[in-house]
Amino acid sequence: MPQLSSGGGDDLGANDEMISFKDEGEQDEKIQENAFTERDLADLKSSLVNESETNQSPNAAAVRREQQNEHRGYQEKHREHLDGVSKHQDGGMYKAYTGYPFLMLPDPYIPNGSVSPSSNKVSVVQQSHGMHPLTSLLPYSNDHFNPSPPHLPTDMSQKGVQRPQSQDISGFYPLPPGAVGQMPPSMGWQSQPVYPLSSCGFRQPYSSSLPNSSSYPRFSHSLMLGPGMHPTGIPHPAIVPPSGKQDHHDHYDRNMYAKPHQETKREKEPKKPVIKKPLNAFMLYMKEMRAKVIAECTLKESAAINQILGRRWHALTREEQAKYYELARKERQLHMQLYPSWSARDNYEAGLRGGAGEKSKADWGKKKRRKREKQQDSTTGGKRSAFDTFKEDGAPAPLLPMEAL
DNA sequence: ACACCTTTGAAGACG
DNA sequence: CGTCTTCAAAGGTGT
């Protein structure tokens, strides 16, 4: 991933977060050492963006309003952050984190898991069109976010490391090879509770006193047989019909099972189902928070919403982000177990985006060329970011975090 | 009908 | 090994 400044001063908290998850031991010290500095840089950059960024989109005003609100909140958070840093340097939070991978989440899916059904407090801001099944793993209440000592085999995401059938994962998704279809109903892809969206008061939505998720309707996967079905018989959100562009109502949305017209269309074109990439931490965050932002900011345009979400992501504390990184890690593990032979490259070649099925190589090349041209416009040479947006808007270019120091 | 926009992160490709 | 590229989601907008 292109970084504004690679090396010593990581510009964004997200990246060093990943380092903290991925590396053990030696990284630990570095991270504790740099915990404040890096975060501070991220804060600095974020505040720069909030203060000066302008937006050319039709929703620029709303985005700016959001920025201002966020910035106010951010300043408060920044004060708290100082306390947090001292905690980290005491060997608290990050000591516990360095043992990546770790599982600190209570398991709402395991019938006899560590969390009783009554304590299955899963606070989910439900989108109108579905919820990622793993999102329910998020213990949004900080009370439940309790980093525990790692008890997983070390870094399963490392290449060359054999993918273990980790107990943790098999607990979530008891999927021994060849027996993956025996997922207990409580562990199937379920519909998620629908909680009312907040108003623009921007309250913290993650109350720990949430209704028992068992009181919400569930759909056992036996009801979900359909195009999004893994060959093993397990429906998985990563599988989408090859009809091209993904239905905006998620493939794991219960509504997908009530679209016979699409069904007939698929029957006409029986193609190999497409296995999508597992969602990363930010994607999971977006999925969860999108509805909230829409409600608060009365925005609908995804591009604008994503800008806001990007800023909010950076405004999150490490602890808050860690929830999503952990969730994403589980997502990847699950994905690896369900589709061991899948590679992200499969979807590169399929040319899924926009997808009327497979794209010709010429189209694919065109797209690549366009992207290259676009990136050449950017002085950073990397992907556009909120930071880049500034520069295009003619505002004086902000100092890069390192330059600001 | 479909590409684009916009975000971050993961992973593959490539020099 | 470092950098670049693509794709995950989303839905309004533009062609």
Side-chain angles (χ1 to χ4, degrees):
Chain A
M1 176 176 113
Q3 300 293 333
L4 286 173
S5 60
S6 57
D10 227 330
D11 58 328
L12 301 179
N15 196 46
D16 54 46
E17 188 70 51
M18 287 311 292
I19 292 171
S20 72
F21 283 125
K22 282 183 174 169
D23 298 339
E24 295 181 89
E26 63 180 76
Q27 287 284 355
D28 189 10
E29 285 182 17
K30 282 186 195 169
I31 286 162
Q32 288 186 53
E33 218 176 273
N34 297 330
F36 174 73
T37 305
E38 291 174 354
R39 183 69 193 181
D40 215 26
L41 290 176
D43 290 356
L44 178 61
K45 177 181 166 185
S46 180
S47 60
L48 282 171
V49 170
N50 290 339
E51 282 170 3
S52 339
E53 182 176 359
T54 57
N55 197 311
Q56 292 175 326
S57 78
N59 292 309
V63 173
R64 272 194 297 275
R65 275 199 305 276
E66 159 67 16
Q67 288 168 3
Q68 286 164 3
N69 288 337
E70 181 188 324
H71 187 57
R72 275 194 293 274
Y74 200 83
Q75 288 171 324
E76 289 180 14
K77 203 194 78 175
H78 191 75
R79 283 194 295 274
E80 294 171 7
H81 164 69
L82 295 175
D83 296 333
V85 167
S86 60
K87 257 189 252 169
H88 297 165
Q89 291 174 338
D90 287 339
M93 193 68 202
Y94 284 98
K95 212 114 192 174
Y97 276 18
T98 52
Y100 172 88
F102 53 87
L103 284 177
M104 78 290 277
L105 306 179
D107 185 350
Y109 284 163
I110 299 176
N112 297 318
S114 58
V115 177
S116 70
S118 62
S119 64
N120 186 10
K121 295 167 183 173
V122 180
S123 169
V124 173
V125 177
Q126 169 72 358
Q127 297 183 32
S128 58
H129 36 57
M131 175 53 61
H132 194 281
L134 272 170
T135 307
S136 63
L137 297 175
L138 280 169
Y140 291 114
S141 160
N142 286 332
D143 296 340
H144 297 286
F145 185 69
N146 177 27
S148 59
H151 53 285
L152 266 183
T154 24
D155 201 347
M156 294 166 62
S157 67
Q158 293 285 333
K159 283 187 185 293
V161 176
Q162 193 178 6
R163 291 170 182 169
Q165 298 292 328
S166 115
Q167 276 194 331
D168 294 293
I169 285 301
S170 63
F172 278 100
Y173 309 99
L175 307 169
V180 285
Q182 297 176 0
M183 185 186 287
S186 63
M187 295 175 64
W189 306 109
Q190 312 168 359
S191 68
Q192 297 298 320
V194 177
Y195 297 110
L197 296 173
S198 69
S199 65
C200 275
F202 194 40
R203 61 173 165 74
Q204 283 290 38
Y206 306 130
S207 132
S208 60
S209 59
L210 288 162
N212 184 346
S213 65
S214 63
S215 64
Y216 288 84
R218 293 182 177 190
F219 295 84
S220 82
H221 58 283
S222 63
L223 296 175
M224 302 175 76
L225 293 170
M229 182 63 73
H230 184 262
T232 59
I234 295 181
H236 189 272
I239 300 184
V240 294
S243 56
K245 195 168 186 177
Q246 183 189 344
D247 189 345
H248 280 169
H249 297 273
D250 283 348
H251 32 281
Y252 39 81
D253 186 67
R254 72 186 84 159
N255 293 330
M256 73 177 281
Y257 304 106
K259 291 182 179 174
H261 60 284
Q262 287 188 356
E263 208 55 42
T264 55
K265 196 175 178 181
R266 282 171 200 142
E267 283 172 8
K268 283 182 185 173
E269 301 173 19
K271 284 184 185 173
K272 192 176 161 190
V274 172
I275 300 170
K276 310 275 279 191
K277 287 175 76 169
L279 302 189
N280 64 37
F282 179 68
M283 288 293 148
L284 292 169
Y285 173 74
M286 284 213 309
K287 234 170 149 51
E288 182 205 328
M289 299 302 287
R290 173 176 299 278
K292 189 161 163 280
V293 171
I294 289 171
E296 288 169 359
C297 305
T298 60
L299 282 172
K300 283 192 172 180
E301 198 179 342
S302 284
I305 292 165
N306 292 347
Q307 281 191 340
I308 292 168
L309 286 168
R311 282 188 209 92
R312 289 193 181 185
W313 174 254
H314 288 301
L316 290 180
T317 64
R318 284 172 176 268
E319 290 85 352
E320 288 166 329
Q321 286 189 349
K323 292 186 290 193
Y324 297 94
Y325 283 116
E326 173 64 8
L327 194 63
R329 190 180 62 79
K330 287 178 177 166
E331 215 7 38
R332 288 195 302 277
Q333 286 181 344
L334 171 67
H335 199 276
M336 279 193 294
Q337 290 196 343
L338 287 178
Y339 322 112
S341 60
W342 179 87
S343 159
R345 190 170 178 240
D346 300 346
N347 293 359
Y348 278 31
E349 291 173 343
L352 296 172
R353 275 185 101 79
E358 292 202 1
K359 276 183 172 295
S360 70
K361 283 189 177 177
D363 285 346
W364 198 243
K366 264 188 225 167
K367 184 165 183 137
K368 282 176 83 172
R369 204 158 45 240
R370 266 201 307 273
K371 286 233 171 188
R372 256 199 304 276
E373 286 166 4
K374 198 169 127 189
Q375 292 202 344
Q376 280 171 0
D377 291 342
S378 165
T379 54
T380 58
K383 275 201 257 187
R384 289 168 50 84
S385 65
F387 195 71
D388 298 326
T389 310
F390 270 105
K391 292 178 278 186
E392 291 183 2
D393 288 340
L399 292 172
L400 288 171
M402 287 307 290
E403 293 169 328
L405 299 175

